[in-house]
Amino acid sequence: MTRTGRPAPLPRSDLLESDLPRSDLLRFDEVEPQDDCICGGCSARRRARLHAAPVHEGGHAAARSVRRRAAVLMAAAGTALGGGAVGAATAAPAPAPTPGGPAVPRADTPQGEVGGLYGETAADERAAAAQPVTRASIIERAQRWVDQKVPYSMSRYWSDGYRQDCSGFVSMAWGLGSSQTTWTLPDFAERITKAELQPGDVLIHNDPASPRSGSHVTVFGGWADSARTRYVAYEQTSPGATKRATPYAYWSNSATYVPYRYKALTTGGSSSDSAAAAAFPGADKFGPGADNAFVTRLGEMLVRRGGGRFYTEGPGPRWSESDRRATEAFQLAQGWRGGEADGIPGKDTWDYLVNGKGRDIDGVAPLPPPPPSPPSPPLPPDGADGRETAFPGPGAFGPGAAGEQVELLGGQLVRKGFGAAYAEGPGPRWTDADRSNVRAFQEAMGWSGAEADGYPGPDTWKRLFS
């Protein structure tokens, strides 16, 4: 208390959270109860924080903020009523953390707030939460938030009832029926090692020094490379739900992230979503020109089976040469040859990948080479030996096209010096590499726009074979 009878100003270390600029708050904040809300849930949270332990004993930083607000109000009331001594005693700052003090107890760290769906108070969220779930369902739920672009918020709840922050995201993906925190999620899981990680597991970072603002959790979606230095992470972070290739274990605080696996994980069952996930979607969902979620899932399964080295970035919905090569490598690893190892998944390939059958792709030994394509003979001048080089029509080229005209086109592109996109010799099946090389030739002719779309027309054919 000062000589004027006013409460002494709080030291800098005791500034209220509301006094801090937004830039000082990390983006992984957990839910904060509204000060002016009269609902039972927010009232219960405010009471819990008011009586929580101080931070140096494992308490929540937000709880200290509530106690400080109460202290300031009591000091002000004491001054107005002439009770200066009461105000001074109430406004005394909490003791500072002691360096080298006791470790923060796990059970005494109320980081964030546990609550039912839509923020309602739940009687026993943990007892009702351990519902069986498959890995496919976890990834499907996580992808749903990514597709819906659910915005990040520490106080809002999405249409499915889960809080829109990182721990609410994992609670949703695991189907817990309540929004947990990064500190309580381990209660539903068992600790595993990096080598044991599989899609649907999580990586949790808890920061005792800043339990509310410094902690984070991601859903592991599979390895993005064969060296296991990057993985596909599903996470809820500002500005919203995202899926991205991420360095292991995270962009920051990598050494303190711990892998966990949900205790109620099941590998099978008769649920409709499990059956649908295992069914082969059809050959038309794969190959040149395909662009759908099944291509993404194929790539992720191939990465888990050792095919990560074929991808320069995480698998995506658009079919690429990386998908074909990884599929071919998996088929060859099973001992299949010829048409059974053409790089396009069929029912058997899909069954082996979905159900974990067969051999993984060998990441060290070189893959068995595919059957070599016969070398293209030198092309004689038009009419020299009666060989027809007239333009065969636009239908002979493009996604799904296959035939000797495609191979003839590729051979001529190579002879003209436009074969850079081929990883191996051109063949009879149209690929993205054919299109890239055709486009390069068209652009070399000075064409652009629709005239350089990568598909040969009469003019491209005539210039190429002239």
Side-chain angles (χ1 to χ4, degrees):
M1 186 73 71
T2 63
R3 292 184 178 181
T4 61
R6 297 178 181 175
L10 294 174
R12 180 64 186 176
S13 61
D14 284 338
L15 284 177
L16 303 181
E17 284 181 347
S18 58
D19 296 329
L20 293 174
R22 286 295 302 170
S23 60
D24 289 346
L25 299 179
L26 297 181
R27 60 185 181 182
F28 301 133
D29 291 352
E30 297 289 354
V31 64
E32 173 89 25
Q34 298 294 328
D35 292 336
D36 57 353
C37 181
I38 62 174
C39 77
C42 285
S43 298
R45 295 190 195 101
R46 287 194 294 269
R47 285 195 300 272
R49 291 187 174 182
L50 183 60
H51 295 93
V55 172
H56 70 282
E57 295 179 4
H60 196 301
R64 296 191 67 203
S65 295
V66 173
R67 289 198 299 277
R68 289 174 190 145
R69 294 187 185 104
V72 171
L73 290 174
M74 292 178 66
T79 300
L81 297 174
V86 175
T90 307
T98 303
V104 178
R106 162 65 186 86
D108 297 333
T109 309
Q111 181 263 340
E113 296 294 338
V114 176
L117 297 181
Y118 303 100
E120 297 294 333
T121 302
D124 191 1
E125 297 95 340
R126 299 187 186 186
Q131 300 297 321
V133 65
T134 63
R135 295 187 183 280
S137 295
I138 294 173
I139 297 301
E140 180 183 353
R141 292 170 182 171
Q143 183 64 50
R144 191 178 304 151
W145 270 33
V146 173
D147 294 340
Q148 294 173 350
K149 297 179 172 59
V150 177
Y152 179 89
S153 174
M154 65 182 182
S155 59
R156 295 179 181 272
Y157 296 82
W158 194 238
S159 57
D160 55 14
Y162 288 94
R163 193 175 60 243
Q164 296 167 214
D165 59 13
C166 64
S167 52
F169 176 70
V170 172
S171 300
M172 174 276 303
W174 280 359
L176 298 183
S178 60
S179 293
Q180 298 294 318
T181 74
T182 57
W183 292 94
T184 60
L185 283 171
D187 295 335
F188 301 89
E190 56 186 7
R191 187 166 177 171
I192 59 175
T193 65
K194 174 183 176 181
E196 295 173 317
L197 276 168
Q198 295 185 49
D201 298 333
V202 300
L203 290 158
I204 298 177
H205 162 66
N206 277 318
D207 184 357
S210 182
R212 175 174 174 268
S213 301
S215 303
H216 190 47
V217 58
T218 70
V219 175
F220 180 84
W223 294 109
D225 60 9
S226 58
R228 299 192 174 189
T229 61
R230 296 188 305 147
Y231 68 101
V232 177
Y234 295 83
E235 57 180 321
Q236 183 72 357
T237 181
S238 181
T242 186
K243 170 190 173 185
R244 58 183 173 178
T246 302
Y248 187 84
Y250 201 65
W251 305 94
S252 60
N253 299 308
S254 178
T256 57
Y257 274 78
V258 179
Y260 284 92
R261 176 168 297 158
Y262 182 46
K263 290 180 180 178
L265 189 69
T266 178
T267 57
S270 57
S271 62
S272 58
D273 61 338
S274 297
F280 179 57
D284 60 323
K285 298 296 190 293
F286 308 100
D291 188 349
N292 56 73
F294 294 108
V295 177
T296 302
R297 188 177 178 208
L298 171 72
E300 291 172 346
M301 290 191 294
L302 287 166
V303 167
R304 293 196 293 272
R305 298 300 295 272
R309 72 179 188 270
F310 294 99
Y311 294 91
T312 57
E313 57 185 28
R318 186 183 299 277
W319 179 268
S320 68
E321 181 65 10
S322 297
D323 296 304
R324 189 198 67 78
R325 294 178 61 206
T327 302
E328 180 186 39
F330 179 77
Q331 293 167 334
L332 291 170
Q334 313 315 312
W336 305 338
R337 297 293 184 270
E340 295 180 339
D342 59 359
I344 305 296
K347 288 184 178 180
D348 289 339
T349 302
W350 189 261
D351 176 58
Y352 272 52
L353 288 169
V354 169
N355 295 302
K357 298 180 180 179
R359 297 177 53 197
D360 290 347
I361 301 169
D362 190 346
V364 179
L367 294 173
S373 300
S376 301
L379 186 66
D382 191 13
D385 62 352
R387 184 170 183 174
E388 181 62 54
T389 57
F391 179 57
F397 309 100
E404 63 178 7
Q405 298 298 343
V406 176
E407 190 169 8
L408 179 65
L409 171 72
Q412 188 66 359
L413 285 165
V414 170
R415 281 187 285 270
K416 289 281 189 176
F418 293 93
Y422 292 121
E424 55 189 37
R429 186 185 298 276
W430 177 268
T431 67
D432 289 340
D434 293 304
R435 185 178 181 185
S436 296
N437 289 333
V438 171
R439 182 187 292 114
F441 175 79
Q442 292 168 332
E443 291 173 346
M445 297 295 103
W447 303 336
S448 61
E451 295 180 340
D453 59 359
Y455 297 104
D459 290 340
T460 301
W461 190 266
K462 181 178 179 180
R463 294 286 187 94
L464 188 58
F465 286 91
S466 61

